[in-house]
Amino acid sequence: MLAIIGGSGLTQLASLEITRREVVRTPYGEPSGALTFGQVCDQAVVFLARHGYGHTIPPHLVNYRANLWALKHVGALGVISVASVGGIREDFGPGVLVVPDQIIDYTWGRKSTYFDALDQPVHHVDFTHPYDQALRQRLLRAAAAAGQAVHDGGVYATTQGPRLETAAEINRFERDGADLVGMTGMPEAVLARELELPYAAINVVANFAAGRASSEQGISFDSIEVVLHEAMLRVRCILDSLCVEDA
């Protein structure tokens, strides 16, 4: 069964034939909401809205540990993350879809591991490649089959939020090698790795990052909504194509 975590702009899957919803209790507290089970093109899927179904949970307060644990508990064999981001690279403008391959973590204070009890042995995971390579390739094949253009690869900088970044911070991220900036990529990716859940992402560029747009007026949130609406239609096509491949 494939798990899909939807971010801003994707709080539900139109093509999901819902069979049931389930509230899952976890040792780490409450997930962002009930899990929605169903089928897409005869493929079993479980969906979770990262920020809650009313989009009320800010990035720094998402219970990432509960979310990933719940998906693993109900039998998910892989996780696709959908998230909106800001584009740092010149060719990563509004509406572009990216399947990232690396992460830089600038967050702080988040519960970022399942191995934090003092009575447990120290546990390390290899995080050289934060996204599962096989699942990334499946996403890229699905995009090609759906006729949707995506960029293969990109470095995702994860910031604390919920505020957006300053232009100086974006300049720093670029010097560090980042191509995209978002607020939810970590610790989600590493928690999936600790649970041995294959994890990959589709990033939707909603806007140019701070200081990168041609306008000096800052970021237009009205424009972001328009971009996300159109781009998420394309993301849904890719997810449908992925499920057809699995069926």
Side-chain angles (χ1 to χ4, degrees):
M1 178 171 60
L2 181 68
I4 298 171
I5 301 177
S8 299
L10 190 71
T11 57
Q12 60 183 346
L13 287 177
S15 57
L16 180 64
E17 298 177 10
I18 298 172
T19 56
R20 64 187 174 94
R21 291 184 173 89
E22 180 180 343
V23 176
V24 178
R25 308 299 179 189
T26 88
Y28 305 97
E30 298 295 320
S32 295
L35 305 186
T36 302
F37 294 82
Q39 291 188 330
V40 176
C41 303
D42 297 322
Q43 165 69 19
V45 170
V46 56
F47 178 82
L48 176 64
R50 181 184 290 113
H51 299 285
Y53 290 94
H55 203 269
T56 57
I57 307 172
H60 65 299
L61 295 181
V62 171
N63 193 337
Y64 297 96
R65 292 199 300 181
N67 286 351
L68 272 298
W69 191 95
L71 294 173
K72 175 79 171 185
H73 178 72
V74 300
L77 300 176
V79 177
I80 300 294
S81 161
V82 180
S84 61
V85 298
I88 298 176
R89 257 173 52 178
E90 185 177 352
D91 57 335
F92 282 3
V96 168
L97 304 182
V98 183
V99 177
D101 62 341
Q102 281 294 331
I103 291 175
I104 302 175
D105 186 9
Y106 298 98
T107 65
W108 49 269
R110 300 183 181 189
K111 298 289 188 181
S112 59
T113 181
Y114 293 105
F115 303 103
D116 59 357
L118 295 179
D119 59 348
Q120 291 179 332
V122 176
H123 185 89
H124 301 288
V125 293
D126 180 3
F127 208 49
T128 305
H129 302 288
Y131 299 101
D132 182 80
Q133 298 299 322
L135 194 51
R136 285 189 71 258
Q137 292 304 314
R138 286 172 56 194
L139 271 176
L140 293 170
R141 289 196 302 270
Q148 299 296 333
V150 298
H151 281 263
D152 178 4
V155 179
Y156 178 115
T158 313
T159 60
Q160 182 70 0
R163 70 167 177 85
L164 299 183
E165 302 74 33
T166 69
E169 287 170 331
I170 294 300
N171 289 339
R172 173 199 173 188
F173 300 159
E174 183 179 44
R175 291 193 297 271
D176 288 348
D179 305 306
L180 307 157
V181 59
M183 301 176 188
T184 59
M186 287 291 286
E188 197 171 86
V190 72
L191 292 170
R193 180 63 52 86
E194 288 188 348
L195 292 174
E196 298 182 347
L197 267 175
Y199 177 94
I202 304 177
N203 290 160
V204 178
V205 180
N207 56 277
F208 276 114
R212 297 308 163 100
S214 57
S215 171
E216 294 298 323
Q217 301 303 312
I219 293 171
S220 167
F221 290 97
D222 289 338
S223 297
I224 287 175
E225 291 299 321
V226 173
V227 170
L228 284 180
H229 176 73
E230 186 278 332
M232 287 302 174
L233 296 176
R234 293 158 51 211
V235 169
R236 291 187 181 99
C237 289
I238 294 172
L239 296 176
D240 289 351
S241 177
L242 180 66
C243 292
V244 168
E245 178 183 292
D246 289 344

